[in-house]
Amino acid sequence: MPKRGYFAIPNDIITDEAMYPSTKRVLCAMLAYSSRQSTVRKSLGELGRLSGCSEATVRKALAELERNGIVQRVRCFRYSHALSRPVYAKNEYRLVGEKLRGSYTLVPRELL
């Protein structure tokens, strides 16, 4: 199913001067590719490619978003038949912060 042509960025995020621009870019990529349940299941590399940042920058941005209560990380596992045990899969990120509610601005997806 193709994604919508626009995504919503909360105005509180746009006007937040304390947040780094790279953190805002990562959050915008997460908002653009989130599910209807406000979850994102992308690897650090995928988020980096979508936001135009390195994996290290994405890792720092996600840590800042978790500290500010905007994103909640959920560790996911899958069963490896080769190892006969559960192993880590892609993390899932839930967009839960109060800053994500309220008025918003629609932004074309092509800007990512």
Side-chain angles (χ1 to χ4, degrees):
M1 180 168 86
K3 285 287 192 179
R4 302 171 303 277
Y6 293 88
F7 64 97
I9 300 176
N11 291 335
D12 288 343
I13 298 296
I14 294 171
T15 60
D16 187 359
E17 294 179 4
M19 192 179 292
Y20 290 113
S22 58
T23 303
K24 289 182 183 182
R25 287 185 59 83
V26 170
L27 182 59
C28 286
M30 294 175 79
L31 289 168
Y33 291 94
S34 64
S35 68
R36 292 188 188 271
Q37 293 81 22
S38 295
T39 60
V40 179
R41 200 164 203 182
K42 301 269 185 210
S43 66
L44 295 178
E46 289 171 320
L47 285 174
R49 184 181 53 77
L50 293 171
S51 63
C53 300
S54 67
E55 283 187 36
T57 303
V58 171
R59 190 175 291 117
K60 289 176 187 174
L62 288 171
E64 180 183 351
L65 290 170
E66 281 185 81
R67 269 194 313 275
N68 292 336
I70 297 171
V71 172
Q72 181 181 34
R73 180 176 57 176
V74 178
R75 292 199 182 262
C76 297
F77 299 92
R78 65 176 178 78
Y79 188 79
S80 171
H81 293 286
L83 298 174
S84 299
R85 63 181 175 91
V87 295
Y88 284 117
K90 292 179 187 175
N91 288 329
E92 180 177 277
Y93 299 96
R94 293 191 183 132
L95 302 168
V96 295
E98 276 299 314
K99 286 188 174 183
L100 299 178
R101 292 163 183 60
S103 61
Y104 59 88
T105 301
L106 290 177
V107 176
R109 191 176 300 276
E110 295 90 38
L111 289 180
L112 284 178

